[in-house]
Short mmCIF file of all heavy atoms in Angstrom, two decimals:
data_model
loop_
_atom_site.label_atom_id
_atom_site.label_comp_id
_atom_site.label_asym_id
_atom_site.label_seq_id
_atom_site.Cartn_x
_atom_site.Cartn_y
_atom_site.Cartn_z
N MET A 1 -11.78 -19.89 -55.52
CA MET A 1 -11.82 -19.45 -54.17
C MET A 1 -10.45 -18.84 -53.87
O MET A 1 -9.42 -19.42 -54.13
CB MET A 1 -12.04 -20.67 -53.30
CG MET A 1 -12.11 -20.30 -51.80
SD MET A 1 -12.45 -21.74 -50.77
CE MET A 1 -14.18 -21.77 -50.81
N ASP A 2 -10.44 -17.60 -53.36
CA ASP A 2 -9.22 -16.93 -53.04
C ASP A 2 -8.81 -17.11 -51.62
O ASP A 2 -9.62 -17.04 -50.70
CB ASP A 2 -9.40 -15.39 -53.27
CG ASP A 2 -9.44 -15.05 -54.72
OD1 ASP A 2 -8.73 -15.71 -55.52
OD2 ASP A 2 -10.15 -14.08 -55.10
N PHE A 3 -7.56 -17.43 -51.42
CA PHE A 3 -7.00 -17.55 -50.08
C PHE A 3 -6.06 -16.40 -49.88
O PHE A 3 -5.15 -16.16 -50.67
CB PHE A 3 -6.30 -18.85 -49.91
CG PHE A 3 -7.28 -20.06 -49.90
CD1 PHE A 3 -7.40 -20.87 -51.04
CD2 PHE A 3 -7.99 -20.31 -48.78
CE1 PHE A 3 -8.25 -21.84 -50.97
CE2 PHE A 3 -8.86 -21.40 -48.76
CZ PHE A 3 -9.02 -22.21 -49.85
N VAL A 4 -6.22 -15.75 -48.70
CA VAL A 4 -5.35 -14.65 -48.38
C VAL A 4 -4.26 -15.21 -47.47
O VAL A 4 -4.55 -15.80 -46.49
CB VAL A 4 -6.11 -13.54 -47.67
CG1 VAL A 4 -5.17 -12.39 -47.25
CG2 VAL A 4 -7.22 -12.97 -48.55
N ARG A 5 -3.02 -14.92 -47.85
CA ARG A 5 -1.92 -15.39 -47.06
C ARG A 5 -1.71 -14.44 -45.89
O ARG A 5 -1.42 -13.27 -46.13
CB ARG A 5 -0.70 -15.55 -47.94
CG ARG A 5 0.49 -16.03 -47.09
CD ARG A 5 1.66 -16.34 -47.99
NE ARG A 5 2.17 -17.54 -47.36
CZ ARG A 5 2.73 -18.53 -47.95
NH1 ARG A 5 2.81 -18.53 -49.25
NH2 ARG A 5 3.20 -19.62 -47.32
N ARG A 6 -1.79 -14.92 -44.72
CA ARG A 6 -1.62 -14.12 -43.52
C ARG A 6 -0.26 -14.49 -42.87
O ARG A 6 0.13 -15.66 -42.83
CB ARG A 6 -2.75 -14.35 -42.53
CG ARG A 6 -4.02 -13.86 -43.02
CD ARG A 6 -5.05 -13.99 -41.92
NE ARG A 6 -6.33 -13.58 -42.48
CZ ARG A 6 -7.45 -14.29 -42.38
NH1 ARG A 6 -7.46 -15.39 -41.72
NH2 ARG A 6 -8.58 -13.84 -42.92
N PRO A 7 0.44 -13.51 -42.41
CA PRO A 7 1.70 -13.79 -41.74
C PRO A 7 1.47 -14.57 -40.43
O PRO A 7 0.46 -14.33 -39.76
CB PRO A 7 2.38 -12.43 -41.43
CG PRO A 7 1.22 -11.47 -41.48
CD PRO A 7 0.18 -12.10 -42.42
N ALA A 8 2.41 -15.41 -40.10
CA ALA A 8 2.24 -16.19 -38.86
C ALA A 8 2.45 -15.23 -37.67
O ALA A 8 3.29 -14.33 -37.69
CB ALA A 8 3.31 -17.27 -38.84
N PRO A 9 1.69 -15.45 -36.63
CA PRO A 9 1.86 -14.57 -35.47
C PRO A 9 3.22 -14.79 -34.78
O PRO A 9 3.68 -15.90 -34.79
CB PRO A 9 0.71 -14.99 -34.59
CG PRO A 9 0.32 -16.37 -34.96
CD PRO A 9 0.65 -16.48 -36.43
N SER A 10 3.78 -13.70 -34.32
CA SER A 10 5.08 -13.83 -33.64
C SER A 10 4.87 -14.37 -32.26
O SER A 10 3.74 -14.29 -31.72
CB SER A 10 5.76 -12.46 -33.62
OG SER A 10 5.03 -11.58 -32.82
N ARG A 11 5.89 -14.90 -31.67
CA ARG A 11 5.78 -15.60 -30.39
C ARG A 11 5.51 -14.57 -29.29
O ARG A 11 4.88 -14.86 -28.36
CB ARG A 11 7.13 -16.25 -30.08
CG ARG A 11 7.34 -17.41 -31.01
CD ARG A 11 6.86 -18.69 -30.39
NE ARG A 11 7.18 -19.80 -31.28
CZ ARG A 11 6.37 -20.83 -31.36
NH1 ARG A 11 5.38 -20.95 -30.59
NH2 ARG A 11 6.67 -21.79 -32.17
N GLY A 12 6.00 -13.33 -29.37
CA GLY A 12 5.87 -12.37 -28.28
C GLY A 12 4.65 -11.53 -28.37
O GLY A 12 4.36 -10.63 -27.59
N GLU A 13 3.76 -11.79 -29.39
CA GLU A 13 2.63 -10.90 -29.66
C GLU A 13 1.50 -11.09 -28.60
O GLU A 13 0.95 -10.16 -28.12
CB GLU A 13 2.09 -11.19 -31.01
CG GLU A 13 1.07 -10.27 -31.50
CD GLU A 13 0.70 -10.54 -32.97
OE1 GLU A 13 1.63 -10.57 -33.75
OE2 GLU A 13 -0.47 -10.68 -33.24
N ASN A 14 1.20 -12.34 -28.28
CA ASN A 14 0.08 -12.59 -27.44
C ASN A 14 0.58 -13.14 -26.10
O ASN A 14 0.83 -14.38 -26.04
CB ASN A 14 -0.95 -13.58 -28.03
CG ASN A 14 -1.58 -13.06 -29.29
OD1 ASN A 14 -1.84 -11.89 -29.38
ND2 ASN A 14 -1.77 -13.98 -30.23
N LYS A 15 0.78 -12.28 -25.12
CA LYS A 15 1.23 -12.72 -23.84
C LYS A 15 0.12 -12.94 -22.88
O LYS A 15 -0.79 -12.14 -22.82
CB LYS A 15 2.23 -11.68 -23.25
CG LYS A 15 3.45 -11.57 -24.09
CD LYS A 15 4.44 -10.60 -23.44
CE LYS A 15 5.65 -10.48 -24.28
NZ LYS A 15 6.65 -9.64 -23.73
N MET A 16 0.11 -14.02 -22.25
CA MET A 16 -0.90 -14.37 -21.28
C MET A 16 -0.30 -14.31 -19.91
O MET A 16 0.90 -14.50 -19.72
CB MET A 16 -1.45 -15.76 -21.56
CG MET A 16 -2.00 -15.97 -22.92
SD MET A 16 -3.57 -15.09 -23.14
CE MET A 16 -4.62 -16.07 -22.20
N GLY A 17 -1.10 -14.12 -18.86
CA GLY A 17 -0.61 -14.11 -17.49
C GLY A 17 -1.32 -13.09 -16.65
O GLY A 17 -2.39 -12.60 -17.04
N LEU A 18 -0.72 -12.82 -15.54
CA LEU A 18 -1.32 -11.85 -14.57
C LEU A 18 -1.14 -10.44 -14.97
O LEU A 18 -1.80 -9.58 -14.46
CB LEU A 18 -0.83 -12.13 -13.23
CG LEU A 18 -1.22 -13.49 -12.54
CD1 LEU A 18 -0.47 -13.68 -11.27
CD2 LEU A 18 -2.71 -13.51 -12.35
N THR A 19 -0.17 -10.17 -15.80
CA THR A 19 0.14 -8.76 -16.17
C THR A 19 0.03 -8.65 -17.70
O THR A 19 0.45 -9.52 -18.43
CB THR A 19 1.48 -8.35 -15.67
OG1 THR A 19 2.51 -9.21 -16.30
CG2 THR A 19 1.66 -8.44 -14.22
N PRO A 20 -0.56 -7.52 -18.17
CA PRO A 20 -0.62 -7.35 -19.63
C PRO A 20 0.81 -7.32 -20.25
O PRO A 20 0.98 -7.65 -21.45
CB PRO A 20 -1.32 -6.04 -19.75
CG PRO A 20 -1.93 -5.75 -18.46
CD PRO A 20 -1.14 -6.44 -17.39
N SER A 21 1.77 -6.79 -19.62
CA SER A 21 3.09 -6.61 -20.22
C SER A 21 3.89 -8.00 -20.17
O SER A 21 4.93 -8.07 -20.77
CB SER A 21 3.91 -5.55 -19.45
OG SER A 21 4.07 -5.92 -18.08
N GLY A 22 3.39 -8.98 -19.48
CA GLY A 22 4.01 -10.25 -19.46
C GLY A 22 5.16 -10.40 -18.46
O GLY A 22 5.81 -11.45 -18.39
N GLU A 23 5.39 -9.36 -17.64
CA GLU A 23 6.44 -9.50 -16.66
C GLU A 23 5.88 -10.13 -15.37
O GLU A 23 4.69 -10.30 -15.20
CB GLU A 23 7.06 -8.08 -16.38
CG GLU A 23 6.05 -7.13 -15.97
CD GLU A 23 6.54 -5.69 -16.18
OE1 GLU A 23 7.26 -5.42 -17.13
OE2 GLU A 23 6.14 -4.85 -15.39
N SER A 24 6.75 -10.48 -14.44
CA SER A 24 6.35 -11.23 -13.26
C SER A 24 5.56 -10.31 -12.30
O SER A 24 6.01 -9.18 -12.05
CB SER A 24 7.58 -11.77 -12.57
OG SER A 24 7.17 -12.31 -11.31
N PRO A 25 4.44 -10.76 -11.78
CA PRO A 25 3.73 -9.92 -10.76
C PRO A 25 4.31 -10.03 -9.39
O PRO A 25 3.97 -9.31 -8.51
CB PRO A 25 2.32 -10.50 -10.80
CG PRO A 25 2.50 -11.94 -11.18
CD PRO A 25 3.71 -11.94 -12.14
N PHE A 26 5.31 -10.91 -9.25
CA PHE A 26 5.92 -11.16 -7.90
C PHE A 26 7.22 -10.29 -7.73
O PHE A 26 8.21 -10.78 -7.22
CB PHE A 26 6.24 -12.67 -7.70
CG PHE A 26 5.04 -13.52 -7.63
CD1 PHE A 26 4.69 -14.30 -8.70
CD2 PHE A 26 4.23 -13.51 -6.54
CE1 PHE A 26 3.57 -15.11 -8.73
CE2 PHE A 26 3.09 -14.29 -6.49
CZ PHE A 26 2.75 -15.07 -7.55
N VAL A 27 7.08 -9.07 -8.11
CA VAL A 27 8.19 -8.07 -7.86
C VAL A 27 7.88 -7.22 -6.69
O VAL A 27 6.83 -6.68 -6.61
CB VAL A 27 8.41 -7.24 -9.16
CG1 VAL A 27 9.45 -6.15 -8.94
CG2 VAL A 27 8.72 -8.07 -10.32
N LYS A 28 8.71 -7.27 -5.70
CA LYS A 28 8.48 -6.46 -4.48
C LYS A 28 8.76 -4.97 -4.86
O LYS A 28 9.79 -4.57 -5.26
CB LYS A 28 9.40 -6.96 -3.35
CG LYS A 28 9.04 -6.24 -2.05
CD LYS A 28 9.84 -6.81 -0.93
CE LYS A 28 9.35 -6.07 0.30
NZ LYS A 28 10.10 -6.35 1.46
N LEU A 29 7.74 -4.15 -4.53
CA LEU A 29 7.91 -2.69 -4.73
C LEU A 29 8.12 -2.04 -3.38
O LEU A 29 7.62 -2.43 -2.36
CB LEU A 29 6.57 -2.18 -5.28
CG LEU A 29 6.19 -2.71 -6.64
CD1 LEU A 29 4.86 -2.17 -7.10
CD2 LEU A 29 7.21 -2.28 -7.66
N ASP A 30 8.94 -1.04 -3.41
CA ASP A 30 9.09 -0.18 -2.23
C ASP A 30 8.87 1.26 -2.65
O ASP A 30 8.69 1.62 -3.77
CB ASP A 30 10.51 -0.36 -1.60
CG ASP A 30 11.64 -0.04 -2.49
OD1 ASP A 30 11.38 0.12 -3.76
OD2 ASP A 30 12.78 0.11 -2.05
#
Side-chain angles (χ1 to χ4, degrees):
M1 185 179 272
D2 287 326
F3 289 102
V4 177
R5 179 169 219 145
R6 294 187 183 129
S10 64
R11 296 264 180 212
E13 189 174 306
N14 297 325
K15 294 185 179 180
M16 301 289 287
L18 292 172
T19 60
S21 60
E23 53 201 36
S24 174
F26 295 104
V27 175
K28 185 174 182 188
L29 298 174
D30 59 348

